């Protein structure tokens, strides 16, 4: 997937800009508050209809305007096509997505535009709650297996139903058996897809870590959301009284988590800030490499303030990994000179300068 033309209207301080990005590396530079992250946010709207900074659309829509719009000429398989994609995000209400003259839904859009974001929030992959790591994992499973979205929706429906029954304080035994059977069937399938995906991701992750953090061994483990030595039906049965008291299901794929360890220690507790940035970036870059291998098309990377937290050597290693991939990258930085010496002269690099929401 790549974008050959972008038109952004009414996103934060951007009234209207359009530009033709490079298929490889795009560097967006400018002073604080000039609109760099807003450009990345606009591309995120094009791929997911929403911002990565806020859940409230009214904040990303330019003041005094009713909607933000982003149009792109896109080439999903990078075969030289130019297809039109447009997303209108109103300050209030639902987003509208138009692809080649037709309305499409969000999951079709997400499948079409594989996006990866690396920004200050990406640290949450190490430091944040398990939900953030599940979201990361499920991005990969969603793109790896067509069955995932149906299973995931089915699982959410059954979990909600089981929790509603638990909240009533008592459940008819037969009814409980029916819901537990469904819960276990969805859980086993979902967990199998997650495990399979992770076994493919691990070697990709190790390869990127060895480039970015030479000599550091990071172990990537997976917790199912219950004691994997025991079958889930036994776990549900032994937890039932507690689940009933608490009014929710305490074990299952809704509790799955990724475990990152360095020399046996929790990576979030052990690593320095710069090392954490490299590890979370390696997770995202590994997903892109695996996505490319499985789908024969690259991802789009939005990397906000690449130089922050990194010394010269590691900044350069990061850039090397990016230019060796076939991903289209949009990278922001305050001073483009901080990155300029990092690239191979053969790499197709476009630099855009932004000031007060306009390209200059
Ligand atoms: N809804 C809005 N309408 C108009 N302007 C807005 C809106 N929301 C934010 N802004 C302004 O848009 C500008 C762009 O912010 P943005 O975060 O893109 O800057 P940046 O170039 O990434 O800066 P930094 O280097 O500090 O990260 C800011 O000056 C901000 O005050
Ligand atoms: Mg910014």
């Amino acid at each position: 997937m790549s974008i050959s033309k972008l038109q952004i209207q009414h996103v934060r301080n951007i009234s209207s800009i359009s530009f033709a990005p490079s298929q490889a590396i795009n560097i967006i530079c400018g002073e604080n508050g000039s609109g760099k992250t807003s450009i990345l946010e606009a591309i995120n709207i094009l791929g997911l209809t929403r911002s990565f900074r806020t859940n409230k659309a009214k904040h990303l829509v330019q003041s005094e305007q009713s909607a933000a719009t982003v149009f792109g000429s896109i080439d999903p398989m990078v075969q030289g096509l130019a297809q039109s994609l447009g997303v209108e995000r109103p300050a209030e209400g639902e987003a509208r997505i138009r692809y080649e003259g037709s309305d499409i839904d969000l999951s079709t859009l997400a499948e079409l535009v594989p996006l990866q974001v690396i920004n200050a929030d990406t640290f949450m992959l190490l430091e944040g709650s398990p939900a953030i790591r599940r979201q990361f994992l499920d991005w990969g499973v969603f793109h790896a297996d067509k069955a995932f979205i149906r299973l995931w929706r089915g699982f959410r429906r059954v979990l909600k139903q089981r929790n509603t029954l638990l909240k009533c304080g008592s459940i008819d035994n037969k009814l409980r058996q029916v819901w537990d059977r469904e819960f276990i069937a969805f859980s086993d399938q979902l967990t199998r897809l997650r495990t399979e995906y992770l076994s493919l991701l691990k070697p990709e992750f190790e390869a990127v870590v060895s480039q970015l953090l030479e000599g550091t061994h990071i172990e990537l483990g997976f917790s199912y959301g219950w004691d994997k030595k025991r079958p889930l039906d036994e776990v549900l049965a032994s937890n039932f009284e507690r689940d009933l008291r608490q009014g929710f299901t305490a074990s299952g794929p809704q509790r799955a988590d990724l475990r990152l360890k360095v020399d046996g220690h929790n990576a979030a507790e052990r690593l320095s800030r710069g090392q954490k940035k490299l590890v979370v970036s390696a997770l995202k870059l590994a997903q892109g490499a695996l996505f490319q291998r499985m789908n024969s098309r690259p991802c789009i990377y939005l990397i906000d303030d690449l130089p922050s937290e990194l010394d010269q050597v590691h900044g350069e290693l990061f850039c090397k990994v990016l230019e060796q991939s076939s991903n289209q990258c949009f990278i922001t930085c305050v001073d483009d000179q901080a990155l300029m010496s990092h690239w191979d002269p053969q790499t197709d690099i476009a630099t855009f300068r932004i000031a007060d929401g306009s390209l200059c």
Side-chain angles (χ1 to χ4, degrees), residues 20-75:
S22 152
Q23 299 306 290
I25 305 290
N26 295 279
I27 297 175
I28 300 156
C29 57
E31 293 175 357
N32 294 140
S34 55
K36 302 178 297 295
T37 305
S38 304
I39 293 182
L40 303 190
E41 207 174 10
I43 301 170
N44 204 79
I45 294 169
L46 186 68
L48 282 169
T49 77
R50 61 172 186 266
S51 163
F52 49 70
R53 284 202 276 196
T54 176
N55 291 327
K56 294 192 177 131
K58 67 173 183 189
H59 295 309
L60 69 90
V61 175
Q62 190 171 35
S63 308
E64 317 296 328
Q65 299 295 330
S66 57
T69 49
V70 188
F71 293 99
S73 277
I74 65 161
D75 187 357

Side-chain angles (χ1 to χ4, degrees), residues 115-223:
L115 268 186
Q116 290 280 358
V117 179
I118 299 176
N119 61 8
D121 292 340
T122 311
F123 283 95
M124 296 304 275
L125 262 180
L126 281 178
E127 295 167 346
S129 70
I132 292 165
R133 287 179 288 280
R134 280 196 297 277
Q135 204 178 29
F136 163 82
L137 179 61
D138 288 345
W139 182 97
V141 190
F142 168 77
H143 284 286
D145 201 311
K146 292 245 176 294
F148 171 78
I149 192 77
R150 181 186 52 79
L151 283 176
W152 192 82
R153 285 181 181 147
F155 172 74
R156 299 300 307 174
R157 179 178 53 78
V158 175
L159 175 64
K160 199 170 159 201
Q161 189 64 41
R162 190 177 193 272
N163 286 346
T164 305
L165 289 170
L166 287 169
K167 280 193 182 72
C168 295
S170 69
I171 306 183
D172 171 77
N173 224 3
K174 280 225 165 63
L175 194 61
R176 174 185 147 198
Q177 280 172 5
V178 171
W179 284 109
D180 280 5
R181 243 194 326 269
E182 275 217 59
F183 183 87
I184 291 162
F186 277 120
S187 298
D188 285 344
Q189 291 182 76
L190 207 52
T191 303
R192 182 176 54 77
L193 291 191
R194 283 173 168 171
T195 313
E196 284 171 4
Y197 176 77
L198 212 57
S199 69
L200 297 172
L201 186 69
K202 268 186 194 171
E204 301 285 356
F205 174 65
E206 280 159 17
V208 187
V209 167
S210 71
Q211 277 181 280
L212 293 180
L213 282 148
E214 206 190 334
T216 310
H217 179 69
I218 315 270
E219 207 185 308
L220 182 57
F222 179 48
S223 142

